[in-house]
Amino acid sequence: MGIVLDMNIRRIWAIAANVFRGVLRERVIYIVGLYTIVFVLAVLFLNEVSVGTEGKISLDVGLAGMALLGLAVAAFEGGNLVRKEIEKKTALVLLAKPMSRAEFIVGKHLGLSAVLMVLIALMTVIFLTIMNWRQIDYGFGSMVTASFYIGLELSLMSAAAVLFGVLTSSLMATVLTFTAYFMGHLSHNLLTLSDKIEADSVKNIAKGIYYIFPDLSRLDLKSQAVYGLLPEPGVLAANAGYGAVYVVLLLAIATWLFSFREF
């Protein structure tokens, strides 16, 4: 059993490593350069127009930029990962070997998640360097923690993108991933709003959206981190676990649906 488990891990690792190298070859690392240029220009501009508040706004813009650029990579690359293998028939070759479809899906997701974590780490270093250059006060721990949770959020969205890529075309998978992201950030507000709605049908729809889409506000620490604040360690751990459960659920659904695909 130990040998089988080791072989399974090796197969997953091989798929993940291949995805990692492949995505980086597509020059997504240029995202870091784009982030640097845009953020430096934004900080210089804010210094001219937001006297007295440019520090907090710069922190907010820096974290939001990481999240949005990372989302673009997760949506475009994640939506194309499985679809590309299906269209090129390379999935048939891979699955003809002793590799399960679950290993294939999990390996794809882990490879993309690794790329996203590297991108977030690099952008975080650049972000903190620029903050030090501009002598803007920030809480180091809160910023690093917020960046880490951005990575967790993007890992969840890459799982959603892989799922959508199994279901539909690459373009539609990308659109659905962006939609899921924005709905995930609105779902908590919808739940709060549903308590004030009298019509049961509308209330049930609002609650249904909340329970279907992940509550991404649990992983969004940007607003708090700007003021040097963070939730309690227990809350942070629970929210990280919430994100991990959603990732596993989405990958399980993607694997189940992929098992019905014929090549």
Side-chain angles (χ1 to χ4, degrees):
M1 179 65 71
I3 296 177
V4 173
L5 178 60
D6 183 56
M7 289 177 62
N8 289 343
I9 292 175
R10 288 183 178 182
R11 289 197 291 267
I12 292 172
W13 178 262
I15 290 290
N18 184 62
V19 170
F20 184 84
R21 291 191 297 266
V23 173
L24 288 184
R25 279 199 300 267
E26 293 178 3
R27 301 178 181 178
V28 297
I29 201 68
Y30 288 174
I31 290 288
V32 177
L34 175 63
Y35 174 80
T36 304
I37 294 171
V38 173
F39 187 44
V40 168
L41 293 175
V43 168
L44 293 175
F45 175 75
L46 289 171
N47 186 57
E48 297 295 328
V49 301
S50 303
V51 179
T53 60
E54 68 275 9
K56 299 300 183 186
I57 298 176
S58 295
L59 293 173
D60 200 26
V61 169
L63 292 173
M66 284 187 219
L68 290 177
L69 289 174
L71 174 63
V73 175
F76 284 101
E77 294 293 338
N80 196 41
L81 280 180
V82 177
R83 177 58 51 181
K84 180 170 58 177
E85 300 282 10
I86 293 174
E87 292 175 351
K88 292 183 177 180
K89 304 298 183 182
T90 50
L92 179 62
V93 176
L94 289 170
L95 295 173
K97 299 177 181 181
M99 176 181 293
S100 70
R101 301 198 179 202
E103 291 165 354
F104 181 80
I105 293 293
V106 171
K108 291 287 187 182
H109 174 260
L110 288 179
L112 180 56
S113 292
V115 171
L116 292 168
M117 286 297 185
V118 168
L119 289 178
I120 293 299
L122 291 174
M123 285 190 283
T124 299
V125 170
I126 291 167
F127 169 70
L128 296 180
T129 300
I130 293 173
M131 292 298 96
N132 289 327
W133 167 54
R134 298 300 300 174
Q135 297 183 338
I136 294 174
D137 293 331
Y138 62 89
F140 179 81
S142 60
M143 288 296 133
V144 172
T145 303
S147 297
F148 175 73
Y149 272 75
I150 289 173
L152 290 180
E153 182 180 52
L154 293 177
S155 179
L156 194 160
M157 296 317 303
S158 68
V162 169
L163 169 59
F164 295 138
V166 171
L167 284 172
T168 184
S169 67
S170 298
L171 177 59
M172 185 56 66
T174 299
V175 172
L176 290 173
T177 302
F178 277 106
T179 302
Y181 177 83
F182 291 111
M183 290 300 296
H185 278 279
L186 290 173
S187 63
H188 186 76
N189 293 331
L190 286 175
L191 181 64
T192 303
L193 182 63
S194 68
D195 294 333
K196 302 177 182 179
I197 298 175
E198 295 183 1
D200 290 338
S201 58
V202 178
K203 181 181 293 188
N204 291 334
I205 291 174
K207 288 184 176 180
I209 291 174
Y210 175 78
Y211 289 117
I212 291 173
F213 289 94
D215 181 5
L216 296 181
S217 66
R218 291 171 177 256
L219 304 177
D220 186 4
L221 305 180
K222 295 189 290 295
S223 298
Q224 299 173 69
V226 165
Y227 294 95
L229 303 174
L230 286 175
E232 295 294 325
V235 176
L236 286 174
N239 290 344
Y242 173 86
V245 168
Y246 248 100
V247 168
V248 172
L249 178 61
L250 290 172
L251 294 179
I253 295 173
T255 300
W256 179 69
L257 293 173
F258 194 50
S259 68
F260 293 102
R261 293 302 303 256
E262 299 293 338
F263 306 104

